[in-house]
Amino acid sequence: MDKVWLTAAGLYVIVLLRAGGTFAVGWLTGAGARRSRFAEKFSAERFQRVERAIQRWGAPVVALSFLTVGFQTAANFLAGSMRMPVRRYLPALFVGGAAWALVYATAGIGILEGLGRLFAEHTALGVAGVVAIVLAVAGVVVYRRRRTARTPQDTAND
């Protein structure tokens, strides 16, 4: 159990730095855009309403985004670029980041331990599984390369 907490702590530090950095980049990007030739778009009433909504209600979205795949970076960047107050952002970052770290630490360690047991107890089965995965990936790569290498004339004749 100690390794789960140690892994979770390491992942927590990583997610705080990554997501916090994404928020900061979004904040700086938004600040730069507000000084650019697009500045008049940021003063439009519709944009102002969206920005106020994100500033007020965006924290739960940021916190829940950590339980998704692919949305968390966009949510953190958007929170920064829409100037979500840091006092609202940080609690969402801490809670969401903790959930993310615990999920990945427990699932990741569980998967690695399962693979370790598989190789220790049934080495041939483990090796066969790895070979099957490698062959499947290689087959997909070869298929896609051949398909994209075909000329338009080749596809017209099919």
Side-chain angles (χ1 to χ4, degrees):
M1 191 63 169
D2 289 337
K3 59 185 159 187
V4 171
W5 290 111
L6 184 60
T7 303
L11 289 173
Y12 190 55
V13 169
I14 290 168
V15 77
L16 291 179
L17 293 173
R18 187 196 67 190
T22 302
F23 176 83
V25 168
W27 189 281
L28 294 172
T29 302
R34 285 174 176 78
R35 292 187 191 106
S36 72
R37 61 182 174 172
F38 304 109
E40 71 276 353
K41 300 217 188 274
F42 290 96
S43 60
E45 179 55 35
R46 187 175 187 186
F47 183 85
Q48 294 294 320
R49 275 183 293 172
V50 170
E51 187 174 60
R52 282 191 302 273
I54 289 174
Q55 289 173 354
R56 184 168 183 189
W57 302 106
V61 173
V62 169
L64 291 174
S65 74
F66 287 96
L67 301 177
T68 67
V69 176
F71 179 65
Q72 56 188 279
T73 301
N76 284 284
F77 183 84
L78 185 63
S81 65
M82 293 289 178
R83 299 187 299 189
M84 179 186 291
V86 174
R87 65 181 164 72
R88 290 182 188 250
Y89 174 75
L90 286 179
L93 172 64
F94 293 145
V95 170
W100 179 88
L102 286 173
V103 166
Y104 275 83
T106 55
I109 287 178
I111 290 169
L112 289 175
E113 285 179 346
L115 287 173
R117 256 186 261 117
L118 175 67
F119 276 96
E121 297 171 7
H122 307 286
T123 306
L125 182 62
V127 171
V130 169
V131 169
I133 291 170
V134 168
L135 289 174
V137 169
V140 169
V141 169
V142 168
Y143 171 76
R144 286 189 174 186
R145 284 189 179 178
R146 285 186 179 174
R147 196 171 108 212
T148 58
R150 294 170 62 178
T151 63
Q153 184 181 10
D154 292 340
T155 57
N157 292 334
D158 286 345

